[in-house]
Amino acid sequence: MPDEKNAAVATAPAAKQHHGEAAFFDVDNTLMRGASLFHVARKMYERKAFTLAQAAGFAWKQFKFVLRGENMDDVHAVRDSALVLAAGIKVSEVEELGEEVYDEMIESRIWPGTKALAEQHLRVGRKVWLVTATPIEVARVISTRLGLTGALGTVGEIEDGAYTGRLVGDILHGPAKAVAVKQVAEEEGLDLERCWAYSDSHNDIPLLTLVGHPVCINPDSALRRHARENNWPVYDFRSGRRAATLGLKAATVGGAVYGLWRGFSRFRGPRV
């Protein structure tokens, strides 16, 4: 198991392993459409953990993430906001929230193509791990519900059963994913040259480069270019990929922002 300072591991039953082989899947925009942390934030808003203005900030970052892919400034901003908001929340509440988020918001956003790839690895006897910046409590639920082997996720510091608002280590993102996977490989006796990794983001190039079988799913433009230059396979499960061309993007921005606003407003309740 990897050091908890970098990631926590959740395990679920899996097929008998091909010795030395495993597959590692990013979550956001790779396994599911959009950012899982956004849906956690929305569910926390429903529970009145923070204000509508704070929720709108998460919504705007989610919209940009779906439209253009990961941006490190947005990732860090969401992390910092989430840590402040999480301080004092009971771990048991977040675990329960993770189950609700999966049932209500994540399950319907799973890409069937990515899920099929993960299931194929399991069928032939490889272990399958999620590797994500998402809080480990949510990553654990996704992994368990999909019948995967386990999950590596961002770990919040806990005291007396509640979050302190600080991280144990750092957010599991970018190069940190490669470090966590190396640790798993050492513990599990994996030959990384015989392992697979899947991601949508150029930020995960260190992870993809680490394994012998890198695969790009729904890649951002930078990763697509890198994949082409390195002859990496690419799968794109987005319906009508690039249907949002420059003209359509401009035409739909207003509607998308309005839809996000309405989505949060629906949970605000009646005004008094």
Side-chain angles (χ1 to χ4, degrees):
M1 300 287 181
D3 189 336
E4 286 189 356
K5 290 185 178 181
N6 295 297
V9 178
T11 57
K16 184 178 180 180
Q17 184 187 19
H18 271 194
H19 180 69
E21 298 181 9
F24 299 90
F25 284 79
D26 173 50
V27 172
D28 297 343
N29 267 356
T30 301
L31 178 64
M32 61 170 284
R33 184 176 70 256
S36 50
L37 185 58
F38 163 76
H39 301 295
V40 174
R42 194 175 103 176
K43 177 59 68 172
M44 290 177 68
Y45 172 74
E46 289 182 48
R47 296 187 175 197
K48 304 186 185 304
F50 47 84
T51 67
L52 182 62
Q54 290 167 324
F58 279 109
W60 174 240
K61 290 179 176 64
Q62 161 77 346
F63 170 68
K64 290 194 293 182
F65 180 61
V66 172
L67 190 68
R68 72 184 187 189
E70 288 183 339
N71 175 278
M72 287 301 296
D73 290 339
D74 288 342
V75 169
H76 291 152
V78 170
R79 173 200 63 188
D80 295 341
S81 298
L83 287 172
V84 171
L85 297 172
I89 295 177
K90 295 291 184 182
V91 176
S92 58
E93 293 178 7
V94 174
E95 291 171 343
E96 179 184 342
L97 181 145
E99 298 284 350
E100 293 181 10
V101 167
Y102 183 86
D103 288 336
E104 298 175 17
M105 302 169 187
I106 292 179
E107 184 175 26
S108 63
R109 292 172 170 81
I110 299 289
W111 296 110
T114 308
K115 182 180 178 184
L117 288 169
E119 291 172 343
Q120 176 62 18
H121 282 295
L122 291 172
R123 275 195 297 271
V124 301
R126 298 188 189 98
K127 291 186 176 181
V128 177
W129 301 79
L130 299 182
V131 188
T132 175
T134 296
I136 185 58
E137 291 79 11
V138 178
R140 183 182 292 122
V141 170
I142 299 172
S143 173
T144 301
R145 292 297 192 91
L146 293 177
L148 308 182
T149 307
L152 307 173
T154 298
V155 180
E157 184 183 72
I158 299 169
E159 290 183 0
D160 299 324
Y163 295 100
T164 65
R166 298 183 295 271
L167 287 180
V168 177
D170 200 359
I171 187 170
L172 197 66
H173 187 269
K177 291 184 180 179
V179 173
V181 167
K182 283 182 181 178
Q183 292 175 328
V184 169
E186 291 174 1
E187 293 293 332
E188 298 283 327
L190 302 177
D191 178 357
L192 288 171
E193 281 298 314
R194 295 164 56 199
C195 290
W196 280 253
Y198 298 80
S199 179
D200 71 293
S201 173
H202 69 280
N203 292 312
D204 287 341
I205 287 176
L207 169 62
L208 294 167
T209 305
L210 183 67
V211 301
H213 303 284
V215 181
C216 305
I217 294 182
N218 307 326
D220 59 30
S221 59
L223 180 58
R224 184 177 293 276
R225 183 169 56 252
H226 190 89
R228 185 169 55 248
E229 292 170 352
N230 290 272
N231 199 31
W232 289 355
V234 174
Y235 295 94
D236 206 313
F237 301 125
R238 293 169 289 195
S239 60
R241 187 182 72 80
R242 303 309 180 197
T245 59
L246 290 178
L248 288 175
K249 281 182 181 179
T252 57
V253 165
V257 173
Y258 177 74
L260 288 168
W261 175 260
R262 290 294 298 168
F264 277 112
S265 296
R266 184 163 56 89
F267 298 111
R268 181 170 48 176
R271 295 182 178 181
V272 293

PDB file of all heavy atoms in Angstrom, residues 153-188:
ATOM      1  N   GLY A 153      -6.401   8.441  -3.642  1.00  0.00           N
ATOM      2  CA  GLY A 153      -7.053   9.745  -3.668  1.00  0.00           C
ATOM      3  C   GLY A 153      -6.417  10.711  -2.694  1.00  0.00           C
ATOM      4  O   GLY A 153      -5.544  10.346  -1.903  1.00  0.00           O
ATOM      5  N   THR A 154      -6.854  11.956  -2.738  1.00  0.00           N
ATOM      6  CA  THR A 154      -6.351  12.990  -1.836  1.00  0.00           C
ATOM      7  C   THR A 154      -6.857  12.736  -0.423  1.00  0.00           C
ATOM      8  O   THR A 154      -8.029  12.419  -0.217  1.00  0.00           O
ATOM      9  CB  THR A 154      -6.800  14.375  -2.324  1.00  0.00           C
ATOM     10  OG1 THR A 154      -6.236  14.600  -3.626  1.00  0.00           O
ATOM     11  CG2 THR A 154      -6.338  15.469  -1.371  1.00  0.00           C
ATOM     12  N   VAL A 155      -5.968  12.889   0.548  1.00  0.00           N
ATOM     13  CA  VAL A 155      -6.287  12.556   1.942  1.00  0.00           C
ATOM     14  C   VAL A 155      -6.340  13.826   2.794  1.00  0.00           C
ATOM     15  O   VAL A 155      -5.394  14.612   2.828  1.00  0.00           O
ATOM     16  CB  VAL A 155      -5.232  11.598   2.524  1.00  0.00           C
ATOM     17  CG1 VAL A 155      -5.572  11.247   3.974  1.00  0.00           C
ATOM     18  CG2 VAL A 155      -5.146  10.339   1.679  1.00  0.00           C
ATOM     19  N   GLY A 156      -7.462  14.016   3.478  1.00  0.00           N
ATOM     20  CA  GLY A 156      -7.597  15.117   4.415  1.00  0.00           C
ATOM     21  C   GLY A 156      -7.181  14.696   5.814  1.00  0.00           C
ATOM     22  O   GLY A 156      -7.435  13.562   6.231  1.00  0.00           O
ATOM     23  N   GLU A 157      -6.535  15.598   6.532  1.00  0.00           N
ATOM     24  CA  GLU A 157      -6.136  15.305   7.912  1.00  0.00           C
ATOM     25  C   GLU A 157      -7.373  15.188   8.798  1.00  0.00           C
ATOM     26  O   GLU A 157      -8.323  15.967   8.659  1.00  0.00           O
ATOM     27  CB  GLU A 157      -5.227  16.414   8.421  1.00  0.00           C
ATOM     28  CG  GLU A 157      -4.679  16.172   9.818  1.00  0.00           C
ATOM     29  CD  GLU A 157      -3.838  17.331  10.303  1.00  0.00           C
ATOM     30  OE1 GLU A 157      -4.429  18.402  10.617  1.00  0.00           O
ATOM     31  OE2 GLU A 157      -2.599  17.186  10.365  1.00  0.00           O
ATOM     32  N   ILE A 158      -7.351  14.215   9.693  1.00  0.00           N
ATOM     33  CA  ILE A 158      -8.499  13.936  10.560  1.00  0.00           C
ATOM     34  C   ILE A 158      -8.071  13.968  12.020  1.00  0.00           C
ATOM     35  O   ILE A 158      -7.042  13.395  12.387  1.00  0.00           O
ATOM     36  CB  ILE A 158      -9.102  12.554  10.227  1.00  0.00           C
ATOM     37  CG1 ILE A 158      -9.588  12.513   8.780  1.00  0.00           C
ATOM     38  CG2 ILE A 158     -10.240  12.206  11.189  1.00  0.00           C
ATOM     39  CD1 ILE A 158      -9.943  11.121   8.302  1.00  0.00           C
ATOM     40  N   GLU A 159      -8.844  14.634  12.834  1.00  0.00           N
ATOM     41  CA  GLU A 159      -8.659  14.615  14.293  1.00  0.00           C
ATOM     42  C   GLU A 159     -10.018  14.444  14.945  1.00  0.00           C
ATOM     43  O   GLU A 159     -10.971  15.156  14.607  1.00  0.00           O
ATOM     44  CB  GLU A 159      -8.001  15.913  14.778  1.00  0.00           C
ATOM     45  CG  GLU A 159      -6.539  16.058  14.381  1.00  0.00           C
ATOM     46  CD  GLU A 159      -5.911  17.317  14.933  1.00  0.00           C
ATOM     47  OE1 GLU A 159      -6.631  18.082  15.641  1.00  0.00           O
ATOM     48  OE2 GLU A 159      -4.722  17.559  14.659  1.00  0.00           O
ATOM     49  N   ASP A 160     -10.117  13.480  15.843  1.00  0.00           N
ATOM     50  CA  ASP A 160     -11.360  13.215  16.566  1.00  0.00           C
ATOM     51  C   ASP A 160     -12.534  13.002  15.614  1.00  0.00           C
ATOM     52  O   ASP A 160     -13.652  13.464  15.855  1.00  0.00           O
ATOM     53  CB  ASP A 160     -11.685  14.363  17.532  1.00  0.00           C
ATOM     54  CG  ASP A 160     -10.598  14.548  18.590  1.00  0.00           C
ATOM     55  OD1 ASP A 160     -10.024  13.533  19.035  1.00  0.00           O
ATOM     56  OD2 ASP A 160     -10.304  15.703  18.942  1.00  0.00           O
ATOM     57  N   GLY A 161     -12.259  12.296  14.502  1.00  0.00           N
ATOM     58  CA  GLY A 161     -13.326  11.934  13.582  1.00  0.00           C
ATOM     59  C   GLY A 161     -13.803  13.047  12.672  1.00  0.00           C
ATOM     60  O   GLY A 161     -14.796  12.885  11.965  1.00  0.00           O
ATOM     61  N   ALA A 162     -13.085  14.189  12.655  1.00  0.00           N
ATOM     62  CA  ALA A 162     -13.484  15.324  11.808  1.00  0.00           C
ATOM     63  C   ALA A 162     -12.266  15.852  11.058  1.00  0.00           C
ATOM     64  O   ALA A 162     -11.123  15.693  11.485  1.00  0.00           O
ATOM     65  CB  ALA A 162     -14.102  16.435  12.653  1.00  0.00           C
ATOM     66  N   TYR A 163     -12.523  16.508   9.931  1.00  0.00           N
ATOM     67  CA  TYR A 163     -11.442  17.078   9.134  1.00  0.00           C
ATOM     68  C   TYR A 163     -10.943  18.369   9.761  1.00  0.00           C
ATOM     69  O   TYR A 163     -11.725  19.171  10.276  1.00  0.00           O
ATOM     70  CB  TYR A 163     -11.926  17.334   7.705  1.00  0.00           C
ATOM     71  CG  TYR A 163     -12.271  16.068   6.965  1.00  0.00           C
ATOM     72  CD1 TYR A 163     -13.599  15.667   6.833  1.00  0.00           C
ATOM     73  CD2 TYR A 163     -11.281  15.260   6.432  1.00  0.00           C
ATOM     74  CE1 TYR A 163     -13.923  14.483   6.180  1.00  0.00           C
ATOM     75  CE2 TYR A 163     -11.594  14.080   5.772  1.00  0.00           C
ATOM     76  CZ  TYR A 163     -12.926  13.691   5.649  1.00  0.00           C
ATOM     77  OH  TYR A 163     -13.238  12.525   5.019  1.00  0.00           O
ATOM     78  N   THR A 164      -9.632  18.548   9.689  1.00  0.00           N
ATOM     79  CA  THR A 164      -9.024  19.744  10.278  1.00  0.00           C
ATOM     80  C   THR A 164      -8.966  20.908   9.302  1.00  0.00           C
ATOM     81  O   THR A 164      -8.718  22.048   9.708  1.00  0.00           O
ATOM     82  CB  THR A 164      -7.587  19.441  10.736  1.00  0.00           C
ATOM     83  OG1 THR A 164      -6.782  19.132   9.584  1.00  0.00           O
ATOM     84  CG2 THR A 164      -7.561  18.273  11.721  1.00  0.00           C
ATOM     85  N   GLY A 165      -9.137  20.640   8.011  1.00  0.00           N
ATOM     86  CA  GLY A 165      -8.955  21.672   6.992  1.00  0.00           C
ATOM     87  C   GLY A 165      -7.555  21.668   6.417  1.00  0.00           C
ATOM     88  O   GLY A 165      -7.200  22.547   5.638  1.00  0.00           O
ATOM     89  N   ARG A 166      -6.763  20.645   6.779  1.00  0.00           N
ATOM     90  CA  ARG A 166      -5.417  20.488   6.224  1.00  0.00           C
ATOM     91  C   ARG A 166      -5.322  19.142   5.508  1.00  0.00           C
ATOM     92  O   ARG A 166      -6.087  18.228   5.781  1.00  0.00           O
ATOM     93  CB  ARG A 166      -4.366  20.564   7.336  1.00  0.00           C
ATOM     94  CG  ARG A 166      -4.331  21.897   8.062  1.00  0.00           C
ATOM     95  CD  ARG A 166      -3.198  21.917   9.101  1.00  0.00           C
ATOM     96  NE  ARG A 166      -3.428  20.952  10.168  1.00  0.00           N
ATOM     97  CZ  ARG A 166      -4.106  21.221  11.282  1.00  0.00           C
ATOM     98  NH1 ARG A 166      -4.637  22.415  11.466  1.00  0.00           N
ATOM     99  NH2 ARG A 166      -4.262  20.299  12.215  1.00  0.00           N
ATOM    100  N   LEU A 167      -4.363  19.060   4.590  1.00  0.00           N
ATOM    101  CA  LEU A 167      -4.137  17.808   3.869  1.00  0.00           C
ATOM    102  C   LEU A 167      -3.055  16.980   4.545  1.00  0.00           C
ATOM    103  O   LEU A 167      -2.167  17.510   5.211  1.00  0.00           O
ATOM    104  CB  LEU A 167      -3.684  18.086   2.432  1.00  0.00           C
ATOM    105  CG  LEU A 167      -4.728  18.614   1.451  1.00  0.00           C
ATOM    106  CD1 LEU A 167      -4.072  18.823   0.087  1.00  0.00           C
ATOM    107  CD2 LEU A 167      -5.907  17.663   1.336  1.00  0.00           C
ATOM    108  N   VAL A 168      -3.119  15.661   4.362  1.00  0.00           N
ATOM    109  CA  VAL A 168      -2.015  14.770   4.686  1.00  0.00           C
ATOM    110  C   VAL A 168      -1.227  14.625   3.383  1.00  0.00           C
ATOM    111  O   VAL A 168      -1.685  14.018   2.431  1.00  0.00           O
ATOM    112  CB  VAL A 168      -2.514  13.392   5.157  1.00  0.00           C
ATOM    113  CG1 VAL A 168      -1.333  12.460   5.414  1.00  0.00           C
ATOM    114  CG2 VAL A 168      -3.370  13.535   6.410  1.00  0.00           C
ATOM    115  N   GLY A 169      -0.056  15.218   3.325  1.00  0.00           N
ATOM    116  CA  GLY A 169       0.662  15.280   2.058  1.00  0.00           C
ATOM    117  C   GLY A 169       0.073  16.380   1.196  1.00  0.00           C
ATOM    118  O   GLY A 169      -0.351  17.417   1.701  1.00  0.00           O
ATOM    119  N   ASP A 170      -0.021  16.130  -0.118  1.00  0.00           N
ATOM    120  CA  ASP A 170      -0.545  17.134  -1.025  1.00  0.00           C
ATOM    121  C   ASP A 170      -1.664  16.529  -1.844  1.00  0.00           C
ATOM    122  O   ASP A 170      -1.908  15.313  -1.801  1.00  0.00           O
ATOM    123  CB  ASP A 170       0.569  17.659  -1.948  1.00  0.00           C
ATOM    124  CG  ASP A 170       0.222  19.016  -2.560  1.00  0.00           C
ATOM    125  OD1 ASP A 170      -0.885  19.523  -2.277  1.00  0.00           O
ATOM    126  OD2 ASP A 170       1.055  19.556  -3.300  1.00  0.00           O
ATOM    127  N   ILE A 171      -2.344  17.366  -2.618  1.00  0.00           N
ATOM    128  CA  ILE A 171      -3.398  16.891  -3.492  1.00  0.00           C
ATOM    129  C   ILE A 171      -2.801  15.900  -4.487  1.00  0.00           C
ATOM    130  O   ILE A 171      -1.693  16.093  -4.995  1.00  0.00           O
ATOM    131  CB  ILE A 171      -4.068  18.076  -4.212  1.00  0.00           C
ATOM    132  CG1 ILE A 171      -5.287  17.607  -5.000  1.00  0.00           C
ATOM    133  CG2 ILE A 171      -3.083  18.820  -5.101  1.00  0.00           C
ATOM    134  CD1 ILE A 171      -6.134  18.750  -5.544  1.00  0.00           C
ATOM    135  N   LEU A 172      -3.504  14.801  -4.740  1.00  0.00           N
ATOM    136  CA  LEU A 172      -2.998  13.759  -5.632  1.00  0.00           C
ATOM    137  C   LEU A 172      -3.299  14.167  -7.071  1.00  0.00           C
ATOM    138  O   LEU A 172      -4.326  13.811  -7.644  1.00  0.00           O
ATOM    139  CB  LEU A 172      -3.645  12.411  -5.304  1.00  0.00           C
ATOM    140  CG  LEU A 172      -2.908  11.199  -5.890  1.00  0.00           C
ATOM    141  CD1 LEU A 172      -1.538  11.052  -5.256  1.00  0.00           C
ATOM    142  CD2 LEU A 172      -3.715   9.930  -5.671  1.00  0.00           C
ATOM    143  N   HIS A 173      -2.368  14.922  -7.627  1.00  0.00           N
ATOM    144  CA  HIS A 173      -2.596  15.510  -8.950  1.00  0.00           C
ATOM    145  C   HIS A 173      -1.275  15.634  -9.674  1.00  0.00           C
ATOM    146  O   HIS A 173      -0.226  15.851  -9.061  1.00  0.00           O
ATOM    147  CB  HIS A 173      -3.240  16.892  -8.806  1.00  0.00           C
ATOM    148  CG  HIS A 173      -3.655  17.507 -10.092  1.00  0.00           C
ATOM    149  ND1 HIS A 173      -2.828  18.320 -10.826  1.00  0.00           N
ATOM    150  CD2 HIS A 173      -4.811  17.407 -10.801  1.00  0.00           C
ATOM    151  CE1 HIS A 173      -3.453  18.714 -11.918  1.00  0.00           C
ATOM    152  NE2 HIS A 173      -4.651  18.169 -11.927  1.00  0.00           N
ATOM    153  N   GLY A 174      -1.286  15.489 -10.997  1.00  0.00           N
ATOM    154  CA  GLY A 174      -0.086  15.662 -11.797  1.00  0.00           C
ATOM    155  C   GLY A 174       1.008  14.684 -11.394  1.00  0.00           C
ATOM    156  O   GLY A 174       0.775  13.485 -11.256  1.00  0.00           O
ATOM    157  N   PRO A 175       2.234  15.174 -11.188  1.00  0.00           N
ATOM    158  CA  PRO A 175       3.360  14.297 -10.851  1.00  0.00           C
ATOM    159  C   PRO A 175       3.126  13.462  -9.594  1.00  0.00           C
ATOM    160  O   PRO A 175       3.696  12.368  -9.462  1.00  0.00           O
ATOM    161  CB  PRO A 175       4.519  15.285 -10.645  1.00  0.00           C
ATOM    162  CG  PRO A 175       4.157  16.467 -11.478  1.00  0.00           C
ATOM    163  CD  PRO A 175       2.653  16.578 -11.379  1.00  0.00           C
ATOM    164  N   ALA A 176       2.286  13.953  -8.674  1.00  0.00           N
ATOM    165  CA  ALA A 176       2.017  13.189  -7.447  1.00  0.00           C
ATOM    166  C   ALA A 176       1.362  11.850  -7.761  1.00  0.00           C
ATOM    167  O   ALA A 176       1.528  10.880  -7.007  1.00  0.00           O
ATOM    168  CB  ALA A 176       1.137  14.006  -6.509  1.00  0.00           C
ATOM    169  N   LYS A 177       0.602  11.767  -8.854  1.00  0.00           N
ATOM    170  CA  LYS A 177      -0.010  10.496  -9.239  1.00  0.00           C
ATOM    171  C   LYS A 177       1.054   9.469  -9.593  1.00  0.00           C
ATOM    172  O   LYS A 177       0.945   8.293  -9.237  1.00  0.00           O
ATOM    173  CB  LYS A 177      -0.965  10.693 -10.412  1.00  0.00           C
ATOM    174  CG  LYS A 177      -2.221  11.465 -10.078  1.00  0.00           C
ATOM    175  CD  LYS A 177      -3.146  11.509 -11.285  1.00  0.00           C
ATOM    176  CE  LYS A 177      -4.423  12.270 -10.980  1.00  0.00           C
ATOM    177  NZ  LYS A 177      -5.314  12.342 -12.154  1.00  0.00           N
ATOM    178  N   ALA A 178       2.081   9.901 -10.312  1.00  0.00           N
ATOM    179  CA  ALA A 178       3.157   8.986 -10.686  1.00  0.00           C
ATOM    180  C   ALA A 178       3.873   8.463  -9.445  1.00  0.00           C
ATOM    181  O   ALA A 178       4.211   7.275  -9.359  1.00  0.00           O
ATOM    182  CB  ALA A 178       4.144   9.685 -11.621  1.00  0.00           C
ATOM    183  N   VAL A 179       4.087   9.345  -8.470  1.00  0.00           N
ATOM    184  CA  VAL A 179       4.736   8.932  -7.220  1.00  0.00           C
ATOM    185  C   VAL A 179       3.886   7.885  -6.506  1.00  0.00           C
ATOM    186  O   VAL A 179       4.393   6.855  -6.036  1.00  0.00           O
ATOM    187  CB  VAL A 179       4.971  10.151  -6.304  1.00  0.00           C
ATOM    188  CG1 VAL A 179       5.483   9.702  -4.937  1.00  0.00           C
ATOM    189  CG2 VAL A 179       5.955  11.119  -6.945  1.00  0.00           C
ATOM    190  N   ALA A 180       2.577   8.127  -6.433  1.00  0.00           N
ATOM    191  CA  ALA A 180       1.681   7.187  -5.750  1.00  0.00           C
ATOM    192  C   ALA A 180       1.649   5.840  -6.454  1.00  0.00           C
ATOM    193  O   ALA A 180       1.635   4.782  -5.806  1.00  0.00           O
ATOM    194  CB  ALA A 180       0.275   7.786  -5.667  1.00  0.00           C
ATOM    195  N   VAL A 181       1.625   5.854  -7.780  1.00  0.00           N
ATOM    196  CA  VAL A 181       1.583   4.596  -8.533  1.00  0.00           C
ATOM    197  C   VAL A 181       2.895   3.827  -8.364  1.00  0.00           C
ATOM    198  O   VAL A 181       2.888   2.595  -8.261  1.00  0.00           O
ATOM    199  CB  VAL A 181       1.284   4.875 -10.021  1.00  0.00           C
ATOM    200  CG1 VAL A 181       1.552   3.645 -10.880  1.00  0.00           C
ATOM    201  CG2 VAL A 181      -0.170   5.313 -10.174  1.00  0.00           C
ATOM    202  N   LYS A 182       4.013   4.519  -8.313  1.00  0.00           N
ATOM    203  CA  LYS A 182       5.292   3.844  -8.048  1.00  0.00           C
ATOM    204  C   LYS A 182       5.250   3.120  -6.712  1.00  0.00           C
ATOM    205  O   LYS A 182       5.756   2.006  -6.570  1.00  0.00           O
ATOM    206  CB  LYS A 182       6.430   4.869  -8.056  1.00  0.00           C
ATOM    207  CG  LYS A 182       6.871   5.315  -9.424  1.00  0.00           C
ATOM    208  CD  LYS A 182       8.042   6.292  -9.299  1.00  0.00           C
ATOM    209  CE  LYS A 182       8.501   6.783 -10.664  1.00  0.00           C
ATOM    210  NZ  LYS A 182       9.622   7.770 -10.533  1.00  0.00           N
ATOM    211  N   GLN A 183       4.646   3.763  -5.724  1.00  0.00           N
ATOM    212  CA  GLN A 183       4.553   3.155  -4.397  1.00  0.00           C
ATOM    213  C   GLN A 183       3.684   1.898  -4.429  1.00  0.00           C
ATOM    214  O   GLN A 183       4.004   0.883  -3.810  1.00  0.00           O
ATOM    215  CB  GLN A 183       4.009   4.171  -3.397  1.00  0.00           C
ATOM    216  CG  GLN A 183       4.985   5.311  -3.128  1.00  0.00           C
ATOM    217  CD  GLN A 183       4.384   6.379  -2.223  1.00  0.00           C
ATOM    218  OE1 GLN A 183       3.196   6.630  -2.244  1.00  0.00           O
ATOM    219  NE2 GLN A 183       5.230   7.030  -1.447  1.00  0.00           N
ATOM    220  N   VAL A 184       2.571   1.988  -5.163  1.00  0.00           N
ATOM    221  CA  VAL A 184       1.708   0.812  -5.305  1.00  0.00           C
ATOM    222  C   VAL A 184       2.462  -0.313  -6.016  1.00  0.00           C
ATOM    223  O   VAL A 184       2.380  -1.483  -5.635  1.00  0.00           O
ATOM    224  CB  VAL A 184       0.423   1.157  -6.087  1.00  0.00           C
ATOM    225  CG1 VAL A 184      -0.345  -0.101  -6.459  1.00  0.00           C
ATOM    226  CG2 VAL A 184      -0.469   2.073  -5.258  1.00  0.00           C
ATOM    227  N   ALA A 185       3.205   0.047  -7.057  1.00  0.00           N
ATOM    228  CA  ALA A 185       3.958  -0.955  -7.809  1.00  0.00           C
ATOM    229  C   ALA A 185       4.960  -1.677  -6.916  1.00  0.00           C
ATOM    230  O   ALA A 185       5.125  -2.905  -7.006  1.00  0.00           O
ATOM    231  CB  ALA A 185       4.677  -0.294  -8.988  1.00  0.00           C
ATOM    232  N   GLU A 186       5.616  -0.931  -6.039  1.00  0.00           N
ATOM    233  CA  GLU A 186       6.581  -1.543  -5.133  1.00  0.00           C
ATOM    234  C   GLU A 186       5.898  -2.498  -4.162  1.00  0.00           C
ATOM    235  O   GLU A 186       6.375  -3.603  -3.913  1.00  0.00           O
ATOM    236  CB  GLU A 186       7.334  -0.460  -4.365  1.00  0.00           C
ATOM    237  CG  GLU A 186       8.268   0.369  -5.237  1.00  0.00           C
ATOM    238  CD  GLU A 186       8.894   1.522  -4.480  1.00  0.00           C
ATOM    239  OE1 GLU A 186       8.619   1.661  -3.259  1.00  0.00           O
ATOM    240  OE2 GLU A 186       9.659   2.302  -5.099  1.00  0.00           O
ATOM    241  N   GLU A 187       4.763  -2.060  -3.617  1.00  0.00           N
ATOM    242  CA  GLU A 187       4.040  -2.881  -2.646  1.00  0.00           C
ATOM    243  C   GLU A 187       3.397  -4.113  -3.288  1.00  0.00           C
ATOM    244  O   GLU A 187       3.340  -5.183  -2.684  1.00  0.00           O
ATOM    245  CB  GLU A 187       2.961  -2.040  -1.955  1.00  0.00           C
ATOM    246  CG  GLU A 187       3.493  -0.931  -1.070  1.00  0.00           C
ATOM    247  CD  GLU A 187       4.226  -1.461   0.149  1.00  0.00           C
ATOM    248  OE1 GLU A 187       3.894  -2.579   0.600  1.00  0.00           O
ATOM    249  OE2 GLU A 187       5.130  -0.772   0.651  1.00  0.00           O
ATOM    250  N   GLU A 188       2.917  -3.965  -4.524  1.00  0.00           N
ATOM    251  CA  GLU A 188       2.181  -5.034  -5.186  1.00  0.00           C
ATOM    252  C   GLU A 188       3.069  -5.903  -6.080  1.00  0.00           C
ATOM    253  O   GLU A 188       2.599  -6.885  -6.660  1.00  0.00           O
ATOM    254  CB  GLU A 188       1.056  -4.435  -6.038  1.00  0.00           C
ATOM    255  CG  GLU A 188       0.013  -3.668  -5.249  1.00  0.00           C
ATOM    256  CD  GLU A 188      -0.952  -4.595  -4.517  1.00  0.00           C
ATOM    257  OE1 GLU A 188      -1.240  -5.684  -5.049  1.00  0.00           O
ATOM    258  OE2 GLU A 188      -1.425  -4.217  -3.435  1.00  0.00           O
TER     259      GLU A 188
END
